[in-house]
Amino acid sequence: MSYAEYFASRRDEQLNELNEWLKIPSISALSEHKKDILTAAQWLADTLNKAGLEHIEIHPTGGHPVVYADYLHAPGKPTLLLYGHYDVQPVDPLNLWTTPPFEPNIRDGKLYARGATDDKGQVFMHIKAIEAILSQEGSLPVNLKVCIEGEEEIGSVHLTSFLEKHKDMLAADAVLVSDTSLLERGRPAICTGLRGLCSLEVDVMTASTDLHSGTYGGAVPNALHALVSLLASLHDDKGRVAVDGFYEGVPELSPLMREEFAKQGLDEDKIREGLELSALYGEEGYTFVERVGARPTLELNGVYGGFQGEGTKTVIPKVAHAKITCRLVGDQNPQHVLDAIEAHLKSHIQPGAKVEVRQMEKAFALDIDPSNPFLQLAADAYGKVYGTRALFTKDGGSIPIMESFSRILKAPIVLMGFGLDDENLHAPDEHFNLENFDKGLLTIVEFLKSAGTV
Amino acid sequence: MSYAEYFASRRDEQLNELNEWLKIPSISALSEHKKDILTAAQWLADTLNKAGLEHIEIHPTGGHPVVYADYLHAPGKPTLLLYGHYDVQPVDPLNLWTTPPFEPNIRDGKLYARGATDDKGQVFMHIKAIEAILSQEGSLPVNLKVCIEGEEEIGSVHLTSFLEKHKDMLAADAVLVSDTSLLERGRPAICTGLRGLCSLEVDVMTASTDLHSGTYGGAVPNALHALVSLLASLHDDKGRVAVDGFYEGVPELSPLMREEFAKQGLDEDKIREGLELSALYGEEGYTFVERVGARPTLELNGVYGGFQGEGTKTVIPKVAHAKITCRLVGDQNPQHVLDAIEAHLKSHIQPGAKVEVRQMEKAFALDIDPSNPFLQLAADAYGKVYGTRALFTKDGGSIPIMESFSRILKAPIVLMGFGLDDENLHAPDEHFNLENFDKGLLTIVEFLKSAGTV
């Protein structure tokens, strides 16, 4: 039986199995889901065991646990380390989901659920590919280690120290990750660059109590005014970040790099129309792919303060909040960037208002050499299944922990993504195109088989 | 028995009675409290009846009902119309209340509850003053009509048409209102100016879905960026509203008016320290009392969009919201002001973002002539009880319906307030100083008795 026949005959059963995992609301950012995180980790451990992997262990950390498993019966062959995550993003605003986020639903060949593409669906494909080879051939052509964490969506808080502590257990010749996207439908890509990430929370405070806008309006500071002025000051009118020192370590784009980006042939009008936007918006002088792939950014992810209920409330709020993340490139140092933003906020705050800053995640950007044999074989594997070899691209996203894997394990990272950019990652109606589920299973099998030849 | 003795002997009983009313969460802005509004109206009707008033009726309107009552047994004497409101403001953030908003609690001679000072506590004093005169003297020295509404905190939506429909029933020689404040403890004031009010809600929209900041960050519009830039553009760096046409109809402050304001002798440092602020903030070139009493203002009452939960979410929000109110002075036309702000917002919105505006309340400012005999007698009544005659002041607040009363009934408005500015109106821990409850009862009795002589 060919692998295509093998997977076709098990498709419904495997999707039902994936749905069990997707139903577990393993939201790492919200402490009330701590129990669900553990349930999702246990489900994963059971499924790895069923697939034929060994030494399965749920390792506690200071936060959510790491699930480990391995197969070490290919002496003389390379060792691959599979990394992924079983935690998911929060789901609000809930009312914008067509079907509930934790009740998986297939429509038009797409599987809708929180975590469908990011990252449970993609991790599940690897497990099923391994299970298939073991079942069809009795052994794997490589040694394989599995390390799936539960804190990716909150910045992999405890994984770096876990890697340092267990670097012998996790030692590998390459790290295999599926948490990125195809360029577009039918055009596979292997990401060779990830942006870094840093994040912070901002509180602006004014009077000791909320005040009535009749009695005090116009004569006292308003925390919301102070906050919006402060946040508006973070960008100039050319879309550039207006924070002193923010661009330190950002490489200039060479003509050669600009050519590489242009090769992706992304149609900006099509993107704009797909998002129903009247215009794209970003730093002047750069194309869409350059902005996402090679430029840093500072985004407001949440802003709130004052009255949010129905109707009017004539209140002058005493406190207002913002959540900010930055994507970093090149040699930008996340700590320096956070310090620069904090200094900017403290020096631009309106008289009468105070600002407090909490620095959160910090991750460097990562560049990967595409000439590495594991990356070349991965590109070939896509070619066999998709009929077109994978392009080597730079992705705007961050998998903050990749830089730690690269530094601590000193192994190349092979980012074989099977998602699509419009699958609503981190948004309502997240979904996974099942075409890439089917092709992905076969691509992973092809890659594992060829990796044994390195 | 003197009135002082009369009230002293009934104090506990009367406060218990007021507490029954304060326990009813009659929040007009929130539709889930519709039943509580009706309960509060019925409680009021019963209490007016018990006080000896007649023709009590709960008049339905398109929204929350108006409670009417009268006493018309003083032929040849003036007729006063008592106005107030039985609805209250929302109570969030609930966690900032020392004791729950609808469980009245007395601490340090202050009655803490939502509505204690705004306006149930003050309406209650009038009812008890009327009851006292009827019980002690068998009749009132004036004709009296009572008109208490349930929509003041949402802009008196249906009261203007109610006044027009019932202008004969409500006809009076003066309108009596207690919904304003003393200048400070021991310094009574009669307000002769109220600011107008207009309000609007703003939605900013970008893409058709929330987007992932890795995949799209830096290359698409972010609804929160667009909103904070837009809101920041509403003021210049001198604290002035930067909307074309906003100041049309605002009178210049004459040297005489500035002298009147200066007479109030307000200590700005004391205000600043009381609010625990490092600095006051407002339009350059004006004092605190001028800013509040004679200058218009534009305040952000609520701003929200994106992720508000615990932790980080790397989302580019597709929508963000703001709630704005303006206080107006002089001849500013609320409709023109709303149109000017809407035009500003639409012309300043960032490329790629859309803005939608919903215009809400509209009320003109009001000026009252202090030489009117009812205002003079009211000032004297304070003098007898407080030992210092009331000053005539301008208040920064708005009772939007006052302008309608003035225009439709063609009667002077007598604003006899018994609140204090620091009683947390519209904020957590709203309270009413019982010293002014005790003195207010006596002041109202004095005023009603002297009003019979006009």
Side-chain angles (χ1 to χ4, degrees):
Chain A
M1 178 156 52
S2 73
Y3 280 100
E5 287 162 348
Y6 171 93
F7 287 119
S9 68
R10 283 165 179 77
R11 191 170 192 261
D12 289 351
E13 177 197 325
Q14 291 191 343
L15 285 175
N16 285 339
E17 198 181 348
L18 171 57
N19 287 351
E20 285 174 27
W21 203 19
L22 293 172
K23 283 176 188 169
I24 305 167
S26 48
I27 302 170
S28 48
L30 304 176
S31 46
E32 69 258 36
H33 287 285
K34 217 174 167 87
K35 214 183 130 206
D36 299 313
I37 281 279
L38 298 179
T39 308
Q42 187 59 55
W43 187 97
L44 173 61
D46 294 345
T47 305
L48 288 164
N49 181 51
K50 215 169 55 181
L53 288 152
E54 300 168 344
H55 302 122
I56 290 151
E57 196 160 346
I58 298 177
H59 286 267
T61 69
H64 304 315
V66 172
V67 179
Y68 175 86
D70 64 32
Y71 171 94
L72 303 174
H73 304 294
K77 297 292 181 183
T79 300
L80 299 181
L81 174 65
L82 172 67
Y83 163 77
H85 62 94
Y86 64 87
D87 63 325
V88 299
Q89 280 278 320
V91 294
D92 56 280
L94 201 54
N95 61 318
L96 297 184
W97 287 78
T98 307
T99 50
F102 298 111
E103 298 178 19
N105 185 272
I106 295 177
R107 300 191 292 278
D108 287 337
K110 296 166 188 168
L111 173 60
Y112 286 83
R114 173 57 88 225
T117 184
D118 180 18
D119 184 35
K120 285 175 178 169
Q122 300 204 46
V123 168
F124 182 78
M125 286 157 56
H126 283 274
I127 304 173
K128 292 295 133 180
I130 293 162
E131 186 178 79
I133 301 175
L134 283 171
S135 128
Q136 295 288 291
E137 323 206 358
S139 66
L140 292 185
V142 290
N143 299 296
L144 203 115
K145 298 173 177 178
V146 175
C147 168
I148 311 292
E149 69 154 325
E151 298 188 322
E152 198 273 341
E153 300 294 3
I154 52 170
S156 301
V157 195
H158 297 92
L159 194 59
T160 299
S161 61
F162 183 86
L163 295 181
E164 273 160 358
K165 193 171 159 199
H166 298 285
K167 68 178 172 189
D168 293 336
M169 175 177 90
L170 298 171
D173 299 297
V175 179
L176 181 58
V177 186
S178 292
D179 198 16
T180 49
S181 297
L182 306 187
L183 264 183
E184 60 185 343
R185 189 163 174 253
R187 296 185 66 202
I190 292 172
C191 174
T192 59
L194 285 166
R195 290 197 282 191
L197 180 78
C198 63
S199 63
L200 61 156
E201 293 181 342
V202 181
D203 299 327
V204 165
M205 287 144 295
T206 49
S208 52
T209 180
D210 283 356
L211 295 171
H212 186 292
S213 82
T215 318
Y216 290 100
V220 292
N222 174 323
L224 281 171
H225 287 213
L227 181 67
V228 300
S229 307
L230 195 57
L231 296 177
S233 78
L234 291 168
H235 288 87
D236 67 15
D237 56 6
K238 311 273 185 221
R240 269 178 77 85
V241 177
V243 172
D244 273 355
F246 180 83
Y247 288 96
E248 208 171 275
V250 175
E252 278 303 306
L253 267 180
S254 67
L256 195 71
M257 286 163 79
R258 302 198 103 158
E259 258 175 57
E260 280 295 315
F261 278 119
K263 267 192 205 159
Q264 294 184 26
L266 227 66
D267 182 340
E268 296 202 1
D269 276 337
K270 209 171 130 191
I271 292 171
R272 185 183 58 68
E273 283 161 20
L275 299 173
E276 298 175 31
L277 285 167
S278 61
L280 294 172
Y281 187 80
E283 196 182 351
E284 265 188 25
Y286 296 93
T287 65
F288 183 92
V289 277
E290 289 168 356
R291 284 168 176 170
V292 169
R295 300 297 298 172
T297 178
L298 183 158
E299 297 282 348
L300 304 177
N301 308 118
V303 173
Y304 54 107
F307 184 61
Q308 301 187 24
E310 192 186 333
T312 296
K313 187 178 178 191
T314 48
V315 65
I316 302 178
K318 66 169 200 160
V319 61
H321 313 275
K323 287 171 181 277
I324 299 176
T325 49
C326 296
R327 301 284 175 171
L328 309 178
V329 300
D331 295 323
Q332 275 183 301
N333 181 317
Q335 183 61 60
H336 294 177
V337 169
L338 287 174
D339 291 344
I341 296 169
E342 181 162 347
H344 177 100
L345 294 172
K346 294 205 161 149
S347 66
H348 284 71
I349 186 74
Q350 199 180 71
K354 288 186 294 273
V355 59
E356 274 180 17
V357 173
R358 282 182 300 288
Q359 301 189 357
M360 315 275 283
E361 289 111 316
K362 291 163 213 166
F364 282 86
L366 176 67
D367 279 298
I368 302 157
D369 179 2
S371 69
N372 179 280
F374 289 105
L375 276 90
Q376 291 293 326
L377 288 172
D380 293 338
Y382 277 107
K384 285 181 198 149
V385 177
Y386 282 79
T388 174
R389 196 170 189 268
L391 270 182
F392 293 106
T393 59
K394 302 271 182 196
D395 193 90
S398 312
I399 311 180
I401 199 63
M402 289 296 98
E403 193 268 338
S404 300
F405 273 101
S406 169
R407 180 169 39 81
I408 296 166
L409 302 184
K410 299 188 198 327
I413 317 282
V414 187
L415 288 156
M416 297 180 72
F418 297 100
L420 284 173
D421 275 350
D422 62 0
E423 291 181 330
N424 294 348
L425 281 81
H426 297 203
D429 279 352
E430 174 178 346
H431 59 275
F432 188 25
N433 280 267
L434 293 178
E435 173 188 346
N436 293 317
F437 176 79
D438 298 328
K439 290 189 173 153
L441 286 165
L442 295 172
T443 306
I444 295 167
V445 168
E446 286 293 340
F447 173 68
L448 291 178
K449 285 167 73 177
S450 65
T453 66
V454 174
Chain B
M1 179 159 49
S2 73
Y3 280 99
E5 287 163 348
Y6 171 93
F7 288 119
S9 69
R10 283 163 179 78
R11 191 172 191 261
D12 289 350
E13 178 196 325
Q14 292 191 342
L15 285 176
N16 285 339
E17 200 180 347
L18 171 57
N19 287 351
E20 285 173 28
W21 203 19
L22 293 171
K23 284 176 188 169
I24 306 168
S26 49
I27 302 171
S28 49
L30 303 176
S31 48
E32 69 258 36
H33 287 285
K34 216 173 168 85
K35 214 183 129 206
D36 300 314
I37 281 277
L38 298 179
T39 308
Q42 187 60 55
W43 187 96
L44 173 60
D46 295 345
T47 305
L48 288 164
N49 182 51
K50 216 170 54 183
L53 288 152
E54 301 168 342
H55 302 123
I56 290 152
E57 196 161 348
I58 298 177
H59 287 266
T61 69
H64 304 314
V66 172
V67 179
Y68 176 85
D70 64 31
Y71 172 94
L72 303 173
H73 304 293
K77 297 292 181 183
T79 300
L80 299 181
L81 173 65
L82 172 67
Y83 164 77
H85 62 94
Y86 63 86
D87 64 323
V88 300
Q89 279 277 320
V91 294
D92 56 281
L94 200 56
N95 62 318
L96 297 185
W97 287 78
T98 308
T99 50
F102 298 110
E103 297 178 19
N105 185 273
I106 296 176
R107 302 192 291 279
D108 287 336
K110 296 166 190 170
L111 173 59
Y112 286 83
R114 173 57 89 225
T117 184
D118 179 18
D119 183 36
K120 285 174 177 168
Q122 299 203 45
V123 168
F124 183 77
M125 286 159 57
H126 283 273
I127 304 172
K128 292 295 136 181
I130 293 162
E131 185 178 80
I133 300 175
L134 283 171
S135 127
Q136 295 289 289
E137 323 205 357
S139 66
L140 294 184
V142 290
N143 300 295
L144 202 114
K145 298 174 178 178
V146 175
C147 168
I148 311 293
E149 69 155 325
E151 298 188 321
E152 199 272 341
E153 299 294 4
I154 53 170
S156 301
V157 196
H158 297 92
L159 194 57
T160 299
S161 60
F162 183 86
L163 294 181
E164 273 159 0
K165 193 170 159 197
H166 298 284
K167 70 178 168 185
D168 293 336
M169 175 178 91
L170 298 170
D173 298 298
V175 180
L176 182 58
V177 186
S178 291
D179 198 18
T180 49
S181 296
L182 306 188
L183 265 183
E184 61 185 343
R185 190 164 173 249
R187 295 185 67 201
I190 293 172
C191 174
T192 60
L194 284 165
R195 289 197 283 189
L197 181 77
C198 61
S199 64
L200 62 156
E201 293 181 343
V202 181
D203 300 327
V204 164
M205 286 144 296
T206 50
S208 52
T209 179
D210 284 356
L211 296 171
H212 186 292
S213 83
T215 318
Y216 291 100
V220 292
N222 174 323
L224 281 172
H225 286 214
L227 182 67
V228 301
S229 306
L230 196 58
L231 297 176
S233 78
L234 291 168
H235 288 87
D236 67 15
D237 57 5
K238 310 274 185 221
R240 268 179 77 86
V241 178
V243 172
D244 273 354
F246 180 83
Y247 288 96
E248 210 171 276
V250 175
E252 278 303 305
L253 268 180
S254 67
L256 194 71
M257 286 163 77
R258 302 198 104 157
E259 256 175 56
E260 279 296 313
F261 278 120
K263 265 191 204 159
Q264 294 184 24
L266 227 66
D267 183 339
E268 297 202 1
D269 276 338
K270 212 174 127 190
I271 292 171
R272 186 182 58 67
E273 284 162 18
L275 300 172
E276 297 175 33
L277 285 166
S278 61
L280 294 172
Y281 187 79
E283 196 182 351
E284 266 189 26
Y286 297 93
T287 65
F288 182 92
V289 277
E290 290 167 355
R291 285 168 175 170
V292 169
R295 298 300 297 173
T297 178
L298 183 159
E299 296 284 346
L300 304 177
N301 308 119
V303 173
Y304 54 106
F307 184 61
Q308 302 187 25
E310 192 186 332
T312 295
K313 186 177 178 193
T314 49
V315 65
I316 303 177
K318 66 167 199 160
V319 61
H321 313 274
K323 287 170 182 276
I324 300 176
T325 49
C326 297
R327 301 285 175 172
L328 309 177
V329 301
D331 295 322
Q332 274 184 301
N333 181 317
Q335 184 60 61
H336 294 177
V337 168
L338 287 175
D339 291 344
I341 296 169
E342 182 163 346
H344 177 100
L345 294 173
K346 293 201 161 153
S347 65
H348 285 70
I349 186 74
Q350 201 180 70
K354 288 186 294 275
V355 60
E356 273 179 18
V357 173
R358 280 182 301 289
Q359 299 189 359
M360 315 275 282
E361 289 111 317
K362 293 161 210 166
F364 282 86
L366 177 67
D367 278 297
I368 302 157
D369 177 3
S371 70
N372 178 281
F374 290 105
L375 275 90
Q376 291 293 324
L377 288 172
D380 292 340
Y382 277 107
K384 284 180 197 148
V385 177
Y386 282 80
T388 173
R389 197 171 187 266
L391 270 183
F392 294 106
T393 59
K394 303 273 183 197
D395 192 89
S398 312
I399 312 179
I401 199 62
M402 290 295 100
E403 192 269 338
S404 301
F405 273 101
S406 171
R407 179 169 38 82
I408 297 166
L409 303 184
K410 299 190 197 323
I413 317 282
V414 186
L415 288 155
M416 297 180 71
F418 296 102
L420 284 172
D421 275 350
D422 63 1
E423 290 180 330
N424 294 349
L425 278 81
H426 297 202
D429 279 351
E430 176 179 344
H431 59 275
F432 188 25
N433 281 267
L434 293 178
E435 174 188 346
N436 293 317
F437 177 79
D438 298 328
K439 289 188 174 155
L441 287 164
L442 296 171
T443 305
I444 296 167
V445 168
E446 287 292 340
F447 173 68
L448 291 178
K449 286 167 72 178
S450 65
T453 66
V454 174

